[in-house]
Amino acid sequence: MTDPPAADTRAGAVPAALARRRRVLGLGVAVAACAGLLYLAGHDPHDPAIPMPLCPIRHLTGLDCPACGSLRAVYSLLHGHLGAAGRDNAFALVCAPPLTALLARQGRAVWQGRYAPVPAPVAYGLGAAALAWMAVRNLTG
């Protein structure tokens, strides 16, 4: 009689089948993100005639959420207009590098088949900064 295969005792390791599914899902998300960026590069969200998704928070409450203006900011960045991106959503522009680093970290972890939770101080810090930005942008008009 043979012994059952030894369980992987590495911290954060996931079963091979789950890791494979996560890789496929991760590749699908990456392809969808690239398709979205390609669409955005060719369609100016500053033009109200161009179909773009509505912000549910703004639609329901009339308030600007921390992400309102992000599509316009990304469009401006894709076309090399840093100043316009800052006017569209300064918060998204400032948060883009750390969020990109977190996304790359998570993507690498998924590809390697392991967990990579966002550290609690980073998550709470970003959440608090987003709430503060929402308050500032809605109180100042």
Side-chain angles (χ1 to χ4, degrees):
M1 182 152 179
T2 62
D3 292 329
D8 192 350
T9 58
R10 291 179 299 159
V14 295
L18 181 58
R20 207 171 12 263
R21 276 184 257 146
R22 286 185 176 179
R23 283 189 194 120
V24 170
L25 180 63
L27 285 174
V29 168
V31 168
C34 288
L37 285 173
L38 283 172
Y39 177 82
L40 186 59
H43 298 83
D44 187 358
H46 295 94
D47 181 359
I50 301 295
M52 291 288 165
L54 295 175
C55 172
I57 293 174
R58 185 165 190 181
H59 184 70
L60 294 173
T61 67
L63 298 173
D64 287 333
C65 78
C68 281
S70 294
L71 282 177
R72 293 186 302 273
V74 171
Y75 175 84
S76 295
L77 284 175
L78 287 172
H79 291 275
H81 304 293
L82 186 62
R87 285 187 299 279
D88 291 331
N89 190 328
F91 181 73
L93 191 61
V94 169
C95 286
L99 290 176
T100 301
L102 284 171
L103 184 63
R105 176 180 174 266
Q106 186 64 34
R108 186 174 42 253
V110 167
W111 191 257
Q112 293 170 348
R114 57 183 178 80
Y115 295 109
V118 176
V122 173
Y124 288 125
L126 284 171
L131 287 174
W133 172 248
M134 185 174 174
V136 166
R137 80 184 312 192
N138 285 294
L139 292 176
T140 60

